[in-house]
Amino acid sequence: MAYDRYVAICKPLHYGSFLGSRACVHMAAAAWGSGFLHALLHTANTFSIPLCQGNALDQFFCEIPQILKLSCSDADYLREVGLILFSACLFFACFVFIVVSYVQIFRAVLKIPSQQRRHKAFSTCLPHLAVVSLFLSTAVFAHLKPSSILSPSLDLVMAVVYSVVPPAVNPLIYSMRNRELKDALRKLI
């Protein structure tokens, strides 16, 4: 999405050549393939971890940090931590790509002389930024919160927030660009 918005706003005349159907297929395949590989590596590794503290989790899905709390093997634990660090590096690279894309977009949009065109350009970017920010902020807080905040109920709530809320509000956020929906929402409120 960030690259799509970057090309659409910063290089509009080259949009068709940069983002043709072939490029879209490659980007979708890369996203799905990397997601599948990431899930496969973590699934295979967590199934190989011996659990010595039972198999009951205080979560509504099998989240890796919760499974690692039940592990009794330091070597398997370290292997999974290595996978998590590798995932964090990939995550950071994607995050940097998104930030750099949006910095370029905002620089280009701020150079647009017309207020109406600037508003239109920002309205194409802000839904994506809202969804990404919502997901990242809740996921980062859930996984990197201070150890002094030890609350299984907070962990459960945060897991629900970052795994259920962004996909649930995604259609709403993206549909807010629709004028009829905005008018209906204003009448409702």
Side-chain angles (χ1 to χ4, degrees):
M1 286 296 295
Y3 184 67
D4 174 66
R5 296 296 86 207
Y6 167 74
V7 173
I9 292 172
C10 296
K11 303 193 183 292
L13 299 177
H14 300 287
Y15 187 85
S17 61
F18 283 165
L19 285 172
S21 60
R22 182 179 226 171
C24 290
V25 167
H26 286 140
M27 286 190 294
W32 291 334
S34 62
F36 179 76
L37 179 64
H38 178 264
L40 183 67
L41 287 173
H42 283 293
T43 302
N45 193 49
T46 53
F47 275 125
S48 69
I49 294 175
L51 305 176
C52 61
Q53 298 178 15
N55 61 357
L57 297 175
D58 292 331
Q59 285 289 350
F60 74 104
F61 67 98
C62 291
E63 195 173 33
I64 294 169
Q66 299 298 323
I67 294 172
L68 290 178
K69 289 179 183 177
L70 304 175
S71 172
C72 55
S73 169
D74 288 339
D76 293 323
Y77 181 85
L78 290 176
R79 187 173 62 216
E80 183 61 35
V81 168
L83 279 173
I84 290 172
L85 288 175
F86 177 71
S87 299
C89 290
L90 289 177
F91 165 80
F92 186 71
C94 292
F95 179 74
V96 167
F97 179 75
I98 290 171
V99 168
V100 167
S101 296
Y102 276 105
V103 165
Q104 295 296 324
I105 289 169
F106 290 146
R107 286 179 60 209
V109 169
L110 291 175
K111 291 179 184 175
I112 297 173
S114 166
Q115 177 83 14
Q116 185 179 11
R117 292 175 125 187
R118 249 184 288 157
H119 177 70
K120 184 177 180 181
F122 277 132
S123 72
T124 64
C125 299
L126 293 181
H128 178 244
L129 275 179
V131 171
V132 168
S133 298
L134 178 65
F135 172 74
L136 292 180
S137 61
T138 54
V140 165
F141 178 77
H143 293 293
L144 299 179
K145 70 181 183 319
S147 57
S148 61
I149 305 174
L150 187 61
S151 169
S153 59
L154 179 63
D155 289 343
L156 183 61
V157 168
M158 291 309 296
V160 170
V161 167
Y162 79 79
S163 64
V164 175
V165 173
V169 299
N170 198 7
L172 178 68
I173 289 173
Y174 279 103
S175 63
M176 288 310 291
R177 290 177 51 206
N178 185 334
R179 185 169 304 280
E180 293 92 23
L181 186 69
K182 282 183 187 177
D183 293 340
L185 191 60
R186 281 189 193 116
K187 287 178 184 177
L188 182 68
I189 294 174

